[in-house]
Amino acid sequence: MSVWGEIVVGLVILVGLVGIVVPVLPGVLAIFGAILVWAIMTGGTTAWVVFAITTVLLVVSGVIKYMWPGRNMKEAGVPNRALFLGGALAIVGFFVIPVVGLFAGFVLGVYLSELERLSDSKQAWTFTVHALKGVGLSILIELAGALLATAVWVVGAIAV
């Protein structure tokens, strides 16, 4: 692959990394796709080993991303209904207030769901904080896996 091709792959990976933190952009799929294109265009054992390792890292972090924070939120007593309503209002919030509305909508959705369920604003806020911690942990896990995959790609790109 040419230097310009590798620069484009690197930029797509960068967009994917930003997309993990700012969910408006594609995240892990962009990284996976960019490394796949790089492996196809580069060819050879090293490229395919890099692709295999990055795939494992992205899949494992994707599984952990859903299991670990989800278990923590279940243990804290955050119901799925609150997360669903938070997600729905996050989507609405994104269109009402671009980017920032995504976060504000999620917080508002979880809080309103818990307020309706518990009829106590202090408890509702406590459950909302637990949900936010879970989402934050989920983002950190996904970002860690993506950064490790990116590091493997950089090493592979230098080695080839």
Side-chain angles (χ1 to χ4, degrees):
M1 175 173 261
S2 72
V3 173
W4 288 108
E6 289 186 352
I7 289 171
V8 169
V9 168
L11 289 173
V12 172
I13 291 172
L14 181 62
V15 167
L17 289 170
V18 172
I20 291 170
V21 179
V22 181
V24 177
L25 303 170
V28 170
L29 288 177
I31 295 168
F32 175 81
I35 295 173
L36 174 60
V37 167
W38 174 81
I40 291 169
M41 299 300 290
T42 301
T45 304
T46 302
W48 288 108
V49 168
V50 166
F51 176 71
I53 292 170
T54 58
T55 299
V56 168
L57 288 169
L58 294 173
V59 168
V60 167
S61 67
V63 169
I64 294 171
K65 164 190 163 178
Y66 288 108
M67 292 179 62
W68 185 11
R71 188 183 73 225
N72 288 351
M73 285 188 278
K74 285 285 185 209
E75 288 173 1
V78 178
N80 287 336
R81 182 187 98 154
L83 298 175
F84 177 76
L85 187 58
L89 282 182
I91 292 168
V92 171
F94 172 75
F95 290 105
V96 174
I97 310 167
V99 182
V100 177
L102 191 69
F103 176 75
F106 179 78
V107 172
L108 183 63
V110 172
Y111 179 75
L112 290 176
S113 175
E114 291 303 282
L115 184 61
E116 188 273 327
R117 181 175 74 95
L118 301 169
S119 300
D120 178 6
S121 63
K122 187 172 182 172
Q123 276 188 316
W125 183 249
T126 300
F127 281 99
T128 302
V129 169
H130 283 297
L132 288 172
K133 286 179 183 177
V135 170
L137 179 59
S138 176
I139 290 170
L140 287 175
I141 292 167
E142 187 175 27
L143 185 60
L147 286 170
L148 287 172
T150 301
V152 169
W153 172 75
V154 167
V155 169
I158 292 169
V160 173

